[in-house]
Each structure stands twice: as C-alpha cells, then as structure tokens.
Amino acid sequence: MIRTHQSSQHSEPLDTHQKALEVNLDPRRYGTFAEIGAGQEVVRWFFRVGGGAGTIAKSMSAYDMKVSDAIYGRASRYVCRERLQAMLDYEHTLNLDRLREVRGETTAFFTFADTVSARNYHGTNACHGWMGIKFQAHPQDEDSQIIIHVRMLDDEAALQQEALGIVGVNLVHGAFALHHEPELLVAALLDGLSTSRIEIDMIEFSGIAFRHVDNRLMSLKLVELGLSGAAMFAASGEVLQPSEFFYRKAILVERGSFRPVCNVNLDMLESAREQFSKHPNVVGKEVVSVMELTMNNLKAAGEINLSDFLARADVMATCGMPVLISDYFQYYRLAAYLSRYTKEKIAITMGAGSLLELFDEQYYTGLQGGILESFGRMFKNGLQVYCYPMLDSESGELTTCENLNIDPQLRQLFGYLCDRGGIIDVQNYNPACLHVRSRDVLQKIKSGDPEWESMVPESVADVIKRKCYFDYQPADAFEDAVR
C-alpha cells in the first residue's frame, strides 16, 4: 500500500528509490509506460528498484516517427500535448480492454506517457517535454489524469535524462499517493531536484479524482512554489502552455492589480493594441493581448488570498482575457521570458505613473550595471512601451511622455528611448476613461456607492454583483448593515 505520510509537514520527503518501490509494492497498481525521446528514463526506475513485474504490464518506446504515427496517429509535432494525449488514451484503453475482465475488480489501471526532446548532439534544440498519467484512483473507478509540461535546464543530455526520470517517478507516485491533496502533489513534483534543473510551467488536473480542483489555483501554485517563473490560463480557465500559446505571435501585455478590471484597463489595452498592430513589423500578424498579475502584487498584503485571486481571475475572464501569473517583478525579466517564446514584436502598455516608476533607480540596485543594464536587457529585442496618459483629478493636467517628471540625470536616457521608438505615447485613448482608478472603484464597491458600475465593463459589474466579489453587498443588505 502506498503511504501518504508526505502530507505531514514534519515528514521528510521520500527519495526516488522509495517512491518507485512503494508503487511497485502496491498490488492495486498495474499499467503501461510509453516514452518517446530521452530513453526509458521513468520506467527504468521501476525496473531498477525491484518488484516491477507487479506494476508494469508493458514498457515501450515508439521512437521512430512512422512507427509512432502508425500506433497513435499523425500529430502536428512529436513533442506536443496532442501526441501525449494520444499516447495516454491509446495505451490506457488497451489496458482496460485487455485486462479489465481478468483483474479489473482488484486493479487500478494506469498509463504513464511522455514525449520529450532532450539536448541534441549540437545543443541547438529546445529541451522540453510533455509528461502525463491517466489512471484509476481506485479499482473500477472512472479515469483521472494529470498532464505537465517541463523544461530541462541541465547542460548535458545525460543529466536531463536523469532529471526526467526523477520528475516522472514523482508524478506517478503523486498520482497514487497524493491525488486527494493536489497542492501537495504539485509541491512533491521536484522532490530530489531543484528549479535549476527542471521547470514545470504547466499542469492540468482532470477526471473524477480532481472534479473539485480549480486549475487556475494549480497554475498559481506552480509560480508560488517556484516550480516556474510564470504560468498561464485562458478566459475559460483552461491552462495554457506558454511556448505553444505565444508561438509565432506578436505579444502585448498589460500588468495590473485588476481589482477589478476597469474601463481604463481595457481602453489602455485596446488603444495600445491599435497602434501596435500598425507597426511595420506587426502588420498582418497575429497579436495576442494578455493581462499579467505578478506575485508581488498578489502578495502585497502578505499571504496570497486565494478568494481574492479567483475574483480577479473571474473578472478578467469576463473580458475574454488570457491571464499570465508571473514572478517577474522587473520588466526586463518579463521581456526576457516572452522573448523565449516568440521572434515577433513584444510590447507592454502601462500608465504614465508606472512609466515614471520604471525610471526609479532603487529597483535596479541588484544589477551590477544598474538601470542601464536593466533597460539594455528590456529593450534589446526591439520591445516597445506604450504610455497611457495620466489625468490629475485636481488640476486637470494630462501627464504624457512630453511632460513626464523624469529625474534630470535620466532625461537623456528617457529621450533616447523615446527617439528610437522604444517608448511611445498612446494617442487614441478614450478621455472618458482617464478619471477611472481601480482603487477608487474598489472603495466605491465596498462603500455601496453605485457609481462604480459605470466605471467597469458591464460583464465585470454583473459577475461582481452575482458573486459578491471585492466585499460587494447588494443594496438591501448594505442598508441593513448600515442600520
């Protein structure tokens, strides 16, 4: 029987050998390992520790592309989610068809699969892979599934293979021992490894054992635990794999708190997108707009408030926006992250106040080259910043790049970036949106001032009222509370 004592905060995590052996010694578990690329690194552990005959129904590697196509059907790419899902479905169905009648009453069947591109001989390829397990949590149970995407960071193929074997064992063991505690399962994926060796930038739980799991929270957990610098999900809540989502697309990002999404947030994004789409290097190409939440923002009040996070995620979803959760507080790190996935243009839109903060040297004391190094990294691939004007509610003055109060010592740097097109004023903004501030909207929601509804998109107002987000109280409830 597989132990679950890892759930105790005071227990030492099991090592890879112990995990593989526990799986092998559990008489209920029986299934297939199908691995493409980087050798049979995961199943090797289960053979090595002993007792594998009680666990492994079949081990295989359809390494040749034509052989793989013949078994699983053609795929657009061989290291992709589509191929992994085909492997999981085919092999798991085969197990059930062949073995359910003989031993289905006492056996929980599973299929583990991966398709991986480890470092090639010349070191010229992207080292990443898809890995997943489809399984029955209990005999005769409906299927459950976990899929992850990994990036291998070791410099040598042999080390990458070793890391893959370890994370694969962690996934198999976690599926069996920790499926009832998915947050602990996520945390255990890098047992025996470090984030300098493996990055997990996507995880998706599905099926009967995970019917109550919100994959948006699991995406947040990846970043919170440091398993990845960023994670993504769509407006539908579906998790996204960044390299596939951003592939060959121009990218526009707006960073914010989105508590809640206001009219000004959408105007900032839409007006910047209109200008960005007219850039000679962007015309005719697909542009994706993304709203970004940073861990710094989510932790501004201390620990992350999960209810608050889901409220923000829901209001962004009503606007149809994909969400990027990142641990890249410094913009140059965000730029480097996005540049990893596309060769097309990248742009960031921000308010004039945020642009002024960008030129605050206190944020760059950790860099040897200070603000110059930061901006060199940020703008090196032709990134552009679109500056949305800021309205002074008292004086009525509009702050743009023309009159931004930059430190005198940095004005020449600012002027240089503006002259070369790195920083651009947003021209086609909606003046009616300039007086809207998220903090004012939030205060009005909490105080019961109905004016807030005109300051946010209608869909956002609807979801806030329906789910009582951000301390919203219906008018009758608020009046009762005042009395």
Side-chain angles (χ1 to χ4, degrees), residues 255-314:
R255 174 178 289 181
S257 65
F258 307 112
R259 300 184 75 233
V261 175
C262 303
N263 292 333
V264 68
N265 295 122
L266 291 187
D267 190 55
M268 188 182 301
L269 204 54
E270 290 166 3
S271 54
R273 182 187 176 108
E274 185 177 329
Q275 282 181 243
F276 182 50
S277 298
K278 294 176 181 176
H279 189 282
N281 294 336
V282 180
V283 171
K285 296 179 179 176
E286 185 177 358
V287 178
V288 291
S289 299
V290 177
M291 288 180 169
E292 182 209 13
L293 279 169
T294 66
M295 293 302 291
N296 282 65
N297 189 285
L298 290 169
K299 291 181 175 179
E303 290 298 311
I304 295 176
N305 183 319
L306 296 183
S307 297
D308 173 69
F309 167 74
L310 289 176
R312 301 197 220 186
D314 276 354

Side-chain angles (χ1 to χ4, degrees), residues 313-333:
D314 276 354
V315 296
M316 287 186 274
T318 66
C319 301
M321 296 303 303
V323 177
L324 175 69
I325 310 164
S326 92
D327 202 21
Y328 301 130
F329 173 67
Q330 297 91 350
Y331 277 105
Y332 70 85
R333 295 183 65 211

Side-chain angles (χ1 to χ4, degrees), residues 362-414:
Q362 68 170 319
Y363 296 121
Y364 312 110
T365 55
L367 289 176
Q368 191 171 2
I371 193 170
L372 289 177
E373 181 180 344
S374 167
F375 282 6
R377 292 190 192 182
M378 181 172 171
F379 291 97
K380 72 173 183 178
N381 293 318
L383 178 142
Q384 291 181 298
V385 170
Y386 286 85
C387 174
Y388 191 85
M390 180 171 60
L391 180 69
D392 188 310
S393 56
E394 294 184 2
S395 67
E397 182 182 6
L398 205 61
T399 300
T400 67
C401 290
E402 294 294 324
N403 60 349
L404 198 64
N405 188 24
I406 298 291
D407 186 308
Q409 296 183 9
L410 298 174
R411 282 178 188 160
Q412 281 189 307
L413 173 61
F414 178 72

Side-chain angles (χ1 to χ4, degrees), residues 16 45 162-171 189 191-193 197:
T16 312
W45 274 102
E162 177 188 63
L164 280 168
I166 294 172
V167 74
V169 172
N170 289 340
L171 177 59
L189 286 174
D191 284 353
L193 293 168
R197 300 192 65 189

Side-chain angles (χ1 to χ4, degrees), residues 259 442 445-448 464 468-474 478:
R259 300 184 75 233
L442 193 62
I445 292 173
K446 292 180 178 181
S447 65
I464 290 174
C468 294
Y469 284 152
F470 308 116
D471 296 328
Y472 170 80
Q473 296 183 56
F478 186 81

Side-chain angles (χ1 to χ4, degrees), residues 29-33 43 47 52-60 91 95 98-99 103 109-111:
R29 310 297 173 184
Y30 199 62
T32 291
F33 290 82
V43 76
F47 281 127
T55 300
I56 304 166
K58 181 176 72 174
S59 168
M60 67 172 298
E91 298 294 350
N95 277 340
R98 290 173 173 174
L99 301 171
R103 54 186 298 172
F109 296 106
F110 72 91
T111 291

